[in-house]
Amino acid sequence: MTGSYRKDLSHITWAEVYKRQEMRAGLVEEWLEALALQPGDRVLDMGSGPGFVSLVLADRVGVGGVVYAIDRSAEALAYLEGLQRERGIVQIQRITA
């Protein structure tokens, strides 16, 4: 990566942000183990971005649970919506805030 790091990630696409989230998948499993989520649980993903973690959480809580994916970027949540449609995932509620 060249140039300075821009924390807001406005210089890359949501697909690229998602790929960066995917690269940290090993950490996500550790977080989930610590949370001890069960099918049917409700969980909040604050600052969800394009939703990699939200999708993993959705798998954990199952169709009987709910994942609240909150992000300030409507575009990031629109990207997540597309992934949900592709994968048939209904238990994620996207909230722009």
Side-chain angles (χ1 to χ4, degrees), residues 1 4-12 14 17 20 24 72:
M1 184 156 118
S4 63
Y5 176 77
R6 292 172 57 185
K7 187 175 180 178
D8 70 359
L9 302 177
S10 63
H11 60 292
I12 60 178
W14 289 115
V17 174
R20 290 173 70 140
R24 296 181 181 99
R72 68 182 179 174

Side-chain angles (χ1 to χ4, degrees), residues 8-9 13-19 21 45-55 67-84 92-97:
D8 70 359
L9 302 177
T13 68
W14 289 115
E16 291 169 315
V17 174
Y18 185 86
K19 286 188 185 298
Q21 290 178 332
D45 184 8
M46 181 65 82
S48 65
F52 177 79
V53 173
S54 296
L55 293 166
V67 175
Y68 300 99
I70 299 180
D71 201 273
R72 68 182 179 174
S73 171
E75 292 84 11
L77 295 174
Y79 185 87
L80 173 56
E81 181 180 18
L83 293 175
Q84 283 181 254
I92 299 175
Q93 294 184 15
R94 298 167 314 281
I95 302 166
T96 305

Side-chain angles (χ1 to χ4, degrees), residues 25-79:
L27 294 173
V28 173
E29 286 303 316
E30 290 179 29
W31 298 336
L32 294 180
E33 292 303 319
L35 291 173
L37 291 173
Q38 301 295 317
D41 282 351
R42 294 171 180 246
V43 63
L44 173 67
D45 184 8
M46 181 65 82
S48 65
F52 177 79
V53 173
S54 296
L55 293 166
V56 174
L57 291 168
D59 186 51
R60 281 288 172 112
V61 301
V63 294
V66 179
V67 175
Y68 300 99
I70 299 180
D71 201 273
R72 68 182 179 174
S73 171
E75 292 84 11
L77 295 174
Y79 185 87

